[in-house]
Amino acid sequence: LSTDGINIAEPEDTLAQGNEVEINYNPNSYWTVRANFAQQESIQAKVGAGLLQYLEERQAVWESVIDEDTGLKWFDTQYQGPNYSSARMYLEGNNVGVPLAIAIAQEGMSLPQIRKYRANVSTSYRLSGLSGNKYLRGLSIGGAVRWQDEGAIGYYAVPAVPPETKMTMLDRNRPIFSPATTAYDAFLTYRTKLFKNRIGATFQLKVRDLTEHGHLEAIQAWPDGTGKVYRIVQPRQFLLTATFDL
């Protein structure tokens, strides 16, 4: 909420909780497997009482102001024309009233925008377990799978009555979800010694997001389910790194 260029904000309490399990497994001395599973949720505990009290106190003042030039309520006048909001429309619409009502309605509920489940599995194998060749024994290959659950990016509107009127409320029971995602990584690592075996060196080629070609992903949605704000998802990346043991 903003008045005279000064933002008025009030913190809200959120209770976060979750569980995490990590597993490390080595089938043999050359092969390693790691897995991580996480479950988390954030519960809307309480909306700031100070903001609600402020709005209640100021409402009576805003309602009482009369424009001396028009004789109409300042609170209801659309000064810039019929295509622009009045102060009441701004306060009670999607800018303040609707998100505030949803926040109040979600007290005690798990917030759907938090991706509840995540899982990661990675593995690597040293080729010295298959061959004693001096070139192959320094090589390791591996990969990873990263998965995350769906997350809410908005809410559908409550159907207007009658239908030809504008939809002004959002339905907190109908979140708009961004789908669950799965990503794949792969890497090739070569470890050797340089300068007459005095300095250890590790070279790694890693491909991140193997199947990703790049796209736009909605992170906020309009009440009809279409995207409102997007982020750029980068295509697969090739990363070459070198580290030295000095």
Side-chain angles (χ1 to χ4, degrees):
L1 181 61
S2 177
T3 178
D4 295 331
I6 301 174
N7 291 325
I8 299 174
E10 183 80 9
E12 57 186 30
D13 297 331
T14 302
L15 175 63
Q17 58 187 16
N19 300 285
E20 186 172 357
V21 176
E22 185 169 324
I23 300 173
N24 292 278
Y25 175 57
N26 298 327
N28 54 53
S29 58
Y30 305 99
W31 187 11
T32 63
V33 180
R34 297 177 181 176
N36 176 278
F37 306 93
Q39 175 269 328
Q40 62 178 350
E41 63 178 346
S42 293
I43 298 174
Q44 181 70 65
K46 188 177 181 182
V47 176
L51 178 59
L52 299 178
Q53 182 180 352
Y54 172 83
L55 291 174
E56 182 179 357
E57 291 176 354
R58 297 303 302 172
Q59 182 86 22
V61 177
W62 294 329
E63 294 278 6
S64 67
V65 177
I66 303 298
D67 189 324
E68 295 182 354
D69 294 330
T70 64
L72 302 175
K73 278 188 176 183
W74 163 83
F75 200 45
D76 292 317
T77 302
Q78 295 168 259
Y79 285 99
Q80 292 179 291
N83 295 325
Y84 293 86
S85 299
S86 65
R88 184 188 300 278
M89 294 166 64
Y90 181 90
L91 183 65
E92 296 180 356
N94 291 334
N95 294 291
V96 180
V98 171
L100 181 59
I102 290 177
I104 294 172
Q106 285 182 327
E107 287 187 3
M109 296 177 61
S110 178
L111 298 177
Q113 58 264 41
I114 302 300
R115 295 182 183 265
K116 192 171 184 179
Y117 298 102
R118 297 175 185 269
N120 302 285
V121 179
S122 63
T123 184
S124 66
Y125 189 86
R126 290 187 290 119
L127 296 189
S128 56
L130 299 177
S131 173
N133 181 282
K134 65 178 182 178
Y135 297 108
L136 292 180
R137 67 189 180 189
L139 281 173
S140 298
I141 60 173
V145 179
R146 296 175 283 115
W147 175 86
Q148 61 179 355
D149 197 9
E150 63 183 7
I153 58 174
Y155 294 87
Y156 286 104
V158 174
V161 180
E164 62 271 13
T165 60
K166 291 184 178 181
M167 295 178 291
T168 58
M169 287 299 297
L170 301 180
D171 189 346
R172 61 145 177 138
N173 295 312
R174 298 176 62 213
I176 301 167
F177 285 103
S178 176
T181 62
T182 304
Y184 305 91
D185 306 328
F187 68 85
L188 178 67
T189 301
Y190 182 68
R191 183 164 180 80
T192 186
K193 289 189 176 181
L194 305 175
F195 304 106
K196 298 181 179 180
N197 294 329
R198 288 182 296 178
I199 297 178
T202 302
F203 303 92
Q204 185 182 75
L205 175 63
K206 182 176 182 180
V207 185
R208 184 175 176 84
D209 293 334
L210 269 171
T211 59
E212 180 57 59
H213 300 288
H215 67 280
L216 293 177
E217 180 181 280
I219 57 175
Q220 291 184 27
W222 294 106
D224 63 357
T226 57
K228 178 182 179 181
V229 178
Y230 292 84
R231 75 178 182 95
I232 299 174
V233 178
Q234 298 289 343
R236 71 175 66 89
Q237 295 177 301
F238 294 84
L239 307 173
L240 179 62
T241 60
T243 58
F244 301 93
D245 303 328
L246 300 179

